[in-house]
Amino acid sequence: MPWDEAGVPALTRDTGAGTQPEQQSAPASEGAAVLQYEWRGAWVVIARGSYDVDSITPLADALAVAARTYPKVILDASGISFADSTFLNLLILTHQAGTLRVVSPSAQLQRLCEITGVDTILETRESVDDAAVS
């Protein structure tokens, strides 16, 4: 299924710290995980693990739905251990669809964005709070 025709993932309740009233979780390939929640009028997508052509679909689905539904999408990229051109393409497509803020990209992801020039078009922030208010 194309990334822009995704359905909304099932709702789950976060039983942890309670700062995220509702979270959505999408199944991901081994080594990748996607969590989502609303924060200050923006939709936050937390990506963890490794993303390539075999594992990108749950993240792509989550970002597509978020970009169609919310004026601002925040991608918490602090837990991404590997990303390739498939991931970069997804970031560019999401950026073109609406406002995308990338939070705390890992060193590997920062380097990939610098090498390809994607860092010149993406907005990065230090925290989810910074991304939500700016």
Side-chain angles (χ1 to χ4, degrees):
M1 163 182 349
W3 76 275
D4 59 348
E5 294 178 8
V8 176
L11 282 175
T12 60
R13 171 102 19 222
D14 178 21
T15 58
T19 59
Q20 303 162 358
E22 290 186 20
Q23 283 189 340
Q24 294 182 348
S25 178
S29 298
E30 187 175 326
V34 177
L35 297 171
Q36 311 173 63
Y37 62 94
E38 184 176 6
W39 185 251
R40 297 184 176 180
W43 194 250
V44 179
V45 177
I46 304 170
R48 301 283 183 259
S50 178
Y51 290 94
D52 59 20
V53 70
D54 294 324
S55 61
I56 200 74
T57 302
L59 180 58
D61 292 347
L63 290 174
V65 170
R68 285 194 309 265
T69 310
Y70 287 84
K72 188 183 300 180
V73 177
I74 300 168
L75 174 63
D76 179 343
S78 61
I80 295 176
S81 56
F82 173 81
D84 67 3
S85 61
T86 307
F87 181 84
L88 285 181
N89 186 52
L90 174 60
L91 292 183
I92 293 166
L93 290 172
T94 305
H95 169 75
Q96 291 173 340
T99 301
L100 172 67
R101 304 272 166 73
V102 180
V103 172
S104 300
S106 65
Q108 186 269 337
L109 182 54
Q110 284 179 350
R111 181 71 178 135
L112 182 62
C113 289
E114 289 169 6
I115 290 170
T116 60
V118 172
D119 65 327
T120 63
I121 63 167
L122 293 180
E123 294 183 49
T124 59
R125 299 292 190 273
E126 293 293 319
S127 70
V128 171
D129 283 335
D130 289 344
V133 297
S134 61

